[in-house]
Short mmCIF file of all heavy atoms in Angstrom, two decimals:
data_model
loop_
_atom_site.label_atom_id
_atom_site.label_comp_id
_atom_site.label_asym_id
_atom_site.label_seq_id
_atom_site.Cartn_x
_atom_site.Cartn_y
_atom_site.Cartn_z
N LEU A 1 0.82 -1.20 -0.01
CA LEU A 1 0.01 -0.02 -0.01
C LEU A 1 0.83 1.23 0.02
O LEU A 1 0.58 2.20 -0.74
CB LEU A 1 -0.96 0.00 1.25
CG LEU A 1 -1.97 1.07 1.18
CD1 LEU A 1 -2.92 0.87 -0.03
CD2 LEU A 1 -2.89 0.93 2.44
N GLY A 2 1.91 1.28 0.81
CA GLY A 2 2.75 2.44 0.87
C GLY A 2 3.30 2.77 2.21
O GLY A 2 3.18 1.94 3.12
N GLY A 3 3.86 3.90 2.36
CA GLY A 3 4.46 4.34 3.60
C GLY A 3 3.53 5.40 4.27
O GLY A 3 2.38 5.53 4.04
N ALA A 4 4.12 6.11 5.18
CA ALA A 4 3.39 7.10 6.06
C ALA A 4 2.70 8.18 5.25
O ALA A 4 1.57 8.45 5.56
CB ALA A 4 4.36 7.71 7.12
N GLU A 5 3.36 8.70 4.27
CA GLU A 5 2.77 9.80 3.41
C GLU A 5 1.53 9.31 2.73
O GLU A 5 0.54 10.01 2.80
CB GLU A 5 3.79 10.42 2.47
CG GLU A 5 4.98 11.14 3.13
CD GLU A 5 6.04 10.16 3.67
OE1 GLU A 5 6.13 8.92 3.25
OE2 GLU A 5 6.82 10.59 4.57
N LYS A 6 1.60 8.10 2.08
CA LYS A 6 0.51 7.59 1.34
C LYS A 6 -0.65 7.27 2.37
O LYS A 6 -1.82 7.54 2.08
CB LYS A 6 0.88 6.33 0.66
CG LYS A 6 -0.12 5.56 -0.03
CD LYS A 6 -0.24 5.92 -1.49
CE LYS A 6 -1.46 5.15 -2.17
NZ LYS A 6 -1.14 4.37 -3.14
N ILE A 7 -0.45 6.68 3.50
CA ILE A 7 -1.38 6.32 4.53
C ILE A 7 -2.09 7.63 4.98
O ILE A 7 -3.39 7.72 5.03
CB ILE A 7 -0.87 5.51 5.58
CG1 ILE A 7 -0.31 4.21 5.10
CG2 ILE A 7 -1.94 5.27 6.70
CD1 ILE A 7 -1.26 3.31 4.40
N LEU A 8 -1.29 8.66 5.21
CA LEU A 8 -1.85 9.96 5.71
C LEU A 8 -2.79 10.55 4.67
O LEU A 8 -3.90 10.92 5.02
CB LEU A 8 -0.74 10.93 6.11
CG LEU A 8 -1.14 12.18 6.75
CD1 LEU A 8 -1.90 12.01 8.03
CD2 LEU A 8 0.07 13.00 7.00
N LEU A 9 -2.37 10.56 3.39
CA LEU A 9 -3.16 11.10 2.28
C LEU A 9 -4.41 10.36 2.15
O LEU A 9 -5.57 10.87 1.97
CB LEU A 9 -2.45 11.14 1.04
CG LEU A 9 -1.31 12.22 0.86
CD1 LEU A 9 -0.45 12.03 -0.39
CD2 LEU A 9 -1.94 13.56 0.87
N MET A 10 -4.34 8.99 2.12
CA MET A 10 -5.61 8.15 2.02
C MET A 10 -6.46 8.36 3.17
O MET A 10 -7.75 8.31 3.01
CB MET A 10 -5.14 6.66 1.88
CG MET A 10 -4.41 6.30 0.57
SD MET A 10 -3.92 4.64 0.53
CE MET A 10 -5.52 3.85 0.21
N ASN A 11 -5.89 8.54 4.40
CA ASN A 11 -6.76 8.78 5.54
C ASN A 11 -7.54 10.00 5.52
O ASN A 11 -8.78 10.08 5.79
CB ASN A 11 -5.91 8.70 6.82
CG ASN A 11 -6.70 8.71 8.04
OD1 ASN A 11 -7.63 7.98 8.19
ND2 ASN A 11 -6.36 9.47 9.02
N GLU A 12 -6.89 11.12 5.01
CA GLU A 12 -7.42 12.41 4.89
C GLU A 12 -8.54 12.48 3.74
O GLU A 12 -9.52 13.10 3.93
CB GLU A 12 -6.44 13.46 4.73
CG GLU A 12 -5.58 13.72 5.98
CD GLU A 12 -4.42 14.71 5.65
OE1 GLU A 12 -4.25 15.07 4.51
OE2 GLU A 12 -3.76 15.02 6.63
N SER A 13 -8.28 11.66 2.70
CA SER A 13 -9.24 11.68 1.59
C SER A 13 -10.46 10.76 1.82
O SER A 13 -11.39 10.79 1.07
CB SER A 13 -8.50 11.39 0.30
OG SER A 13 -8.17 10.00 0.32
N GLY A 14 -10.34 9.83 2.73
CA GLY A 14 -11.43 8.87 2.95
C GLY A 14 -11.20 7.53 2.27
O GLY A 14 -11.95 6.57 2.48
N GLU A 15 -10.13 7.47 1.43
CA GLU A 15 -9.86 6.23 0.76
C GLU A 15 -9.54 5.08 1.67
O GLU A 15 -9.86 3.91 1.40
CB GLU A 15 -8.68 6.42 -0.27
CG GLU A 15 -8.97 7.12 -1.52
CD GLU A 15 -7.66 7.23 -2.37
OE1 GLU A 15 -7.36 6.20 -3.02
OE2 GLU A 15 -7.06 8.33 -2.28
N LEU A 16 -8.83 5.40 2.75
CA LEU A 16 -8.37 4.34 3.70
C LEU A 16 -9.61 3.70 4.34
O LEU A 16 -9.68 2.44 4.54
CB LEU A 16 -7.46 4.90 4.76
CG LEU A 16 -6.81 3.98 5.65
CD1 LEU A 16 -5.92 2.96 4.89
CD2 LEU A 16 -5.93 4.66 6.68
N GLN A 17 -10.55 4.50 4.67
CA GLN A 17 -11.79 4.03 5.32
C GLN A 17 -12.51 3.04 4.43
O GLN A 17 -12.97 1.92 4.96
CB GLN A 17 -12.75 5.15 5.71
CG GLN A 17 -14.01 4.73 6.34
CD GLN A 17 -13.84 4.19 7.74
OE1 GLN A 17 -12.99 4.57 8.44
NE2 GLN A 17 -14.67 3.17 8.08
N ASP A 18 -12.52 3.24 3.12
CA ASP A 18 -13.14 2.36 2.16
C ASP A 18 -12.41 0.99 2.12
O ASP A 18 -12.94 -0.02 1.97
CB ASP A 18 -13.14 2.98 0.72
CG ASP A 18 -14.07 4.19 0.74
OD1 ASP A 18 -14.98 4.29 1.66
OD2 ASP A 18 -13.92 5.07 -0.17
N LEU A 19 -11.01 1.12 2.21
CA LEU A 19 -10.22 -0.12 2.08
C LEU A 19 -10.40 -0.99 3.36
O LEU A 19 -10.19 -2.20 3.37
CB LEU A 19 -8.72 0.20 2.01
CG LEU A 19 -8.12 0.35 0.61
CD1 LEU A 19 -6.68 0.85 0.76
CD2 LEU A 19 -8.19 -0.94 -0.15
N LEU A 20 -10.71 -0.28 4.42
CA LEU A 20 -10.77 -1.01 5.78
C LEU A 20 -12.08 -1.66 6.07
O LEU A 20 -12.22 -2.28 7.10
CB LEU A 20 -10.44 -0.07 6.88
CG LEU A 20 -8.99 0.53 6.84
CD1 LEU A 20 -8.74 1.54 7.97
CD2 LEU A 20 -7.86 -0.53 6.73
N THR A 21 -12.99 -1.58 5.17
CA THR A 21 -14.36 -2.09 5.44
C THR A 21 -14.34 -3.60 5.56
O THR A 21 -15.17 -4.18 6.35
CB THR A 21 -15.37 -1.83 4.25
OG1 THR A 21 -14.85 -2.27 3.07
CG2 THR A 21 -15.63 -0.32 4.24
N LYS A 22 -13.42 -4.38 4.90
CA LYS A 22 -13.34 -5.81 5.01
C LYS A 22 -12.37 -6.31 6.09
O LYS A 22 -12.22 -7.49 6.29
CB LYS A 22 -13.01 -6.44 3.64
CG LYS A 22 -11.74 -5.92 3.08
CD LYS A 22 -11.34 -6.47 1.73
CE LYS A 22 -10.11 -5.88 1.23
NZ LYS A 22 -10.21 -5.11 0.07
N ILE A 23 -11.76 -5.47 6.82
CA ILE A 23 -10.76 -5.83 7.87
C ILE A 23 -11.44 -6.00 9.14
O ILE A 23 -12.40 -5.24 9.54
CB ILE A 23 -9.65 -4.73 7.97
CG1 ILE A 23 -8.99 -4.47 6.64
CG2 ILE A 23 -8.68 -5.11 9.03
CD1 ILE A 23 -8.33 -5.64 6.09
N GLU A 24 -11.05 -7.00 9.99
CA GLU A 24 -11.62 -7.30 11.25
C GLU A 24 -11.52 -6.12 12.19
O GLU A 24 -10.35 -5.48 12.34
CB GLU A 24 -10.94 -8.59 11.81
CG GLU A 24 -11.54 -8.97 13.14
CD GLU A 24 -10.81 -10.20 13.71
OE1 GLU A 24 -10.09 -10.86 12.95
OE2 GLU A 24 -10.96 -10.51 14.89
N ARG A 25 -12.58 -5.86 12.83
CA ARG A 25 -12.60 -4.69 13.83
C ARG A 25 -12.21 -5.13 15.23
O ARG A 25 -12.36 -6.32 15.55
CB ARG A 25 -14.00 -4.05 13.96
CG ARG A 25 -14.50 -3.52 12.60
CD ARG A 25 -13.79 -2.29 12.26
NE ARG A 25 -14.14 -1.89 10.92
CZ ARG A 25 -13.66 -0.80 10.35
NH1 ARG A 25 -12.89 -0.04 10.99
NH2 ARG A 25 -14.01 -0.51 9.13
N VAL A 26 -11.66 -4.29 16.00
CA VAL A 26 -11.28 -4.43 17.36
C VAL A 26 -12.23 -3.68 18.20
O VAL A 26 -12.36 -2.43 18.05
CB VAL A 26 -9.87 -3.93 17.58
CG1 VAL A 26 -9.46 -4.16 19.09
CG2 VAL A 26 -8.85 -4.70 16.74
N GLN A 27 -12.90 -4.26 19.20
CA GLN A 27 -13.97 -3.70 19.94
C GLN A 27 -13.32 -2.62 20.89
O GLN A 27 -13.59 -1.48 20.91
CB GLN A 27 -14.81 -4.67 20.71
CG GLN A 27 -15.64 -5.51 19.79
CD GLN A 27 -16.65 -4.67 18.98
OE1 GLN A 27 -17.18 -3.70 19.49
NE2 GLN A 27 -16.85 -4.99 17.72
N HIS A 28 -12.39 -3.16 21.71
CA HIS A 28 -11.75 -2.34 22.69
C HIS A 28 -10.22 -2.50 22.58
O HIS A 28 -9.68 -3.48 23.00
CB HIS A 28 -12.12 -2.80 24.05
CG HIS A 28 -13.67 -2.70 24.32
ND1 HIS A 28 -14.25 -1.49 24.52
CD2 HIS A 28 -14.54 -3.69 24.48
CE1 HIS A 28 -15.56 -1.76 24.70
NE2 HIS A 28 -15.78 -3.05 24.63
N PRO A 29 -9.65 -1.60 21.85
CA PRO A 29 -8.21 -1.65 21.73
C PRO A 29 -7.49 -1.63 23.03
O PRO A 29 -7.75 -0.87 23.87
CB PRO A 29 -7.88 -0.46 20.86
CG PRO A 29 -8.97 0.46 20.90
CD PRO A 29 -10.18 -0.31 21.32
N HIS A 30 -6.57 -2.62 23.24
CA HIS A 30 -5.85 -2.74 24.46
C HIS A 30 -4.49 -3.29 24.23
O HIS A 30 -4.25 -3.84 23.20
CB HIS A 30 -6.59 -3.60 25.50
CG HIS A 30 -6.65 -5.03 25.07
ND1 HIS A 30 -7.54 -5.39 24.07
CD2 HIS A 30 -5.95 -6.14 25.43
CE1 HIS A 30 -7.35 -6.73 23.89
NE2 HIS A 30 -6.41 -7.18 24.66
N GLU A 31 -3.61 -2.99 25.16
CA GLU A 31 -2.26 -3.59 25.09
C GLU A 31 -2.25 -4.89 25.75
O GLU A 31 -3.00 -5.12 26.76
CB GLU A 31 -1.28 -2.61 25.75
CG GLU A 31 -0.99 -1.38 24.88
CD GLU A 31 0.14 -0.60 25.49
OE1 GLU A 31 0.60 -0.83 26.59
OE2 GLU A 31 0.53 0.34 24.82
N CYS A 32 -1.42 -5.82 25.28
CA CYS A 32 -1.22 -7.12 25.90
C CYS A 32 -0.66 -6.91 27.35
O CYS A 32 0.29 -6.25 27.43
CB CYS A 32 -0.32 -7.98 25.04
SG CYS A 32 0.06 -9.52 25.77
N PRO A 33 -1.26 -7.56 28.30
CA PRO A 33 -0.75 -7.48 29.67
C PRO A 33 0.68 -8.15 29.84
O PRO A 33 1.37 -7.77 30.69
CB PRO A 33 -1.76 -8.17 30.55
CG PRO A 33 -2.60 -9.04 29.61
CD PRO A 33 -2.54 -8.36 28.26
N SER A 34 0.96 -9.00 28.99
CA SER A 34 2.21 -9.73 29.12
C SER A 34 3.37 -8.93 28.59
O SER A 34 4.44 -8.81 29.10
CB SER A 34 2.13 -11.11 28.37
OG SER A 34 1.19 -11.93 28.95
N CYS A 35 3.28 -8.43 27.28
CA CYS A 35 4.40 -7.83 26.57
C CYS A 35 4.17 -6.36 26.41
O CYS A 35 5.09 -5.63 25.84
CB CYS A 35 4.58 -8.45 25.20
SG CYS A 35 3.25 -8.14 24.03
N GLY A 36 3.00 -5.80 26.79
CA GLY A 36 2.80 -4.34 26.59
C GLY A 36 2.64 -3.86 25.27
O GLY A 36 2.79 -2.71 24.89
N GLY A 37 2.25 -4.77 24.34
CA GLY A 37 2.01 -4.40 22.98
C GLY A 37 3.20 -4.67 22.04
O GLY A 37 3.05 -4.29 20.85
N PHE A 38 4.37 -5.00 22.56
CA PHE A 38 5.49 -5.16 21.68
C PHE A 38 5.51 -6.46 20.89
O PHE A 38 6.13 -6.65 19.87
CB PHE A 38 6.77 -5.05 22.53
CG PHE A 38 7.08 -3.71 22.93
CD1 PHE A 38 6.88 -3.27 24.16
CD2 PHE A 38 7.70 -2.83 22.00
CE1 PHE A 38 7.17 -1.95 24.55
CE2 PHE A 38 8.05 -1.50 22.38
CZ PHE A 38 7.77 -1.05 23.66
N GLY A 39 4.81 -7.49 21.37
CA GLY A 39 4.70 -8.74 20.72
C GLY A 39 5.91 -9.72 20.99
O GLY A 39 5.98 -10.85 20.45
N PHE A 40 6.82 -9.25 21.79
CA PHE A 40 8.00 -10.06 22.19
C PHE A 40 8.28 -9.94 23.73
O PHE A 40 7.99 -8.94 24.35
CB PHE A 40 9.33 -9.59 21.45
CG PHE A 40 9.28 -9.94 19.96
CD1 PHE A 40 8.77 -9.14 19.09
CD2 PHE A 40 9.90 -11.14 19.62
CE1 PHE A 40 8.77 -9.42 17.74
CE2 PHE A 40 9.89 -11.50 18.27
CZ PHE A 40 9.34 -10.56 17.30
#
């Protein structure tokens, strides 16, 4: 898809929202209690 600039532009234009319709949603975003969100 691209880097930060492309994501920022797509977010501002609304294109990103359209792409994210088929992606699984997270009800309550939270950090993992074990690793603090780092994954390691």
Side-chain angles (χ1 to χ4, degrees):
L1 192 61
E5 293 78 19
K6 172 98 184 238
I7 299 300
L8 186 59
L9 287 172
M10 290 178 75
N11 189 45
E12 290 174 355
S13 70
E15 283 181 80
L16 188 60
Q17 180 66 32
D18 296 338
L19 269 176
L20 299 179
T21 56
K22 60 183 174 240
I23 305 297
E24 182 181 345
R25 299 288 171 178
V26 177
Q27 293 300 321
H28 300 289
H30 65 283
E31 287 186 351
C32 173
S34 298
C35 68
F38 284 101
F40 287 90

